[in-house]
Amino acid sequence: MKNQLSEAQKKQLVQEANKARRFAYTPYSRYPVGAALLTSNGEIICGVNIDNAAYPATICAERVAVFKAVSEGHRSFLAIAVVTRDGGSPCGGCRQVLAEFGMDTAIIIANESGEILDEMKVSDLLPRAFGSGSLQP
Ligand code: THU
């Protein structure tokens, strides 16, 4: 599968992220986020944010999706859709986690009405990333 998604694929990914968003656990932030990650072999793996009373233990939707996918054997991703009420952008920590698995992964930002507001690649959101190459002696 090429890293050029059809409009139908993008729409489906946003729909899945929006569906997952209903399961976000956000008693403190009141900011539900849904993410849907498309693997290179065509699977869609979703994640939601999970708040915690100890605030720093909160985890973002994007990271839940990536960690679920990696723990199920996936390491190659074509795209991730992120749905929030207002089209919020992935945080720095999530950008770094996405970068670990490819700078070309497409990021699709949408709002809760399913409107796509922005599209970019991980490389656009995290220029000059620290990556595995940075650890070479
Ligand atoms: N959040 C995400 O799920 N993804 C992001 O990239 C930014 C922030 C969540 C974490 C927390 O549950 C809430 O949004 C407010 O920060």
Side-chain angles (χ1 to χ4, degrees):
M1 205 181 288
K2 276 204 302 155
N3 198 358
Q4 185 60 47
L5 270 63
S6 66
E7 291 308 310
Q9 277 179 307
K10 289 180 199 171
K11 199 173 162 195
Q12 190 198 359
L13 211 53
V14 168
Q15 272 173 358
E16 293 299 325
N18 217 356
K19 265 198 273 169
R21 185 170 171 265
R22 292 195 293 250
F23 299 124
Y25 176 74
T26 58
Y28 312 108
S29 70
R30 305 271 175 216
Y31 190 77
V33 184
L37 187 62
L38 177 63
T39 69
S40 297
N41 62 347
E43 282 186 48
I44 295 176
I45 295 173
C46 293
V48 298
N49 53 330
I50 304 170
D51 285 354
N52 193 282
Y55 294 173
T58 293
I59 187 160
C60 295
E62 299 91 321
R63 263 179 278 181
V64 169
V66 172
F67 295 160
K68 276 175 67 183
V70 172
S71 67
E72 291 169 18
H74 304 282
R75 292 184 182 179
S76 177
F77 307 118
L78 295 177
I80 186 166
V82 183
V83 174
T84 59
R85 59 179 169 236
D86 51 4
S89 195
C91 80
C94 290
R95 296 176 192 202
Q96 182 68 34
V97 167
L98 285 164
E100 181 68 26
F101 298 99
M103 299 302 287
D104 287 335
T105 304
I107 299 176
I108 300 161
I109 304 290
N111 64 19
E112 63 192 348
S113 310
E115 283 173 282
I116 295 178
L117 303 176
D118 214 348
E119 291 175 54
M120 72 288 288
K121 287 181 168 199
V122 172
S123 56
D124 298 315
L125 287 189
L126 197 65
R128 304 186 60 167
F130 186 93
S132 58
S134 315
L135 294 175
Q136 298 306 315

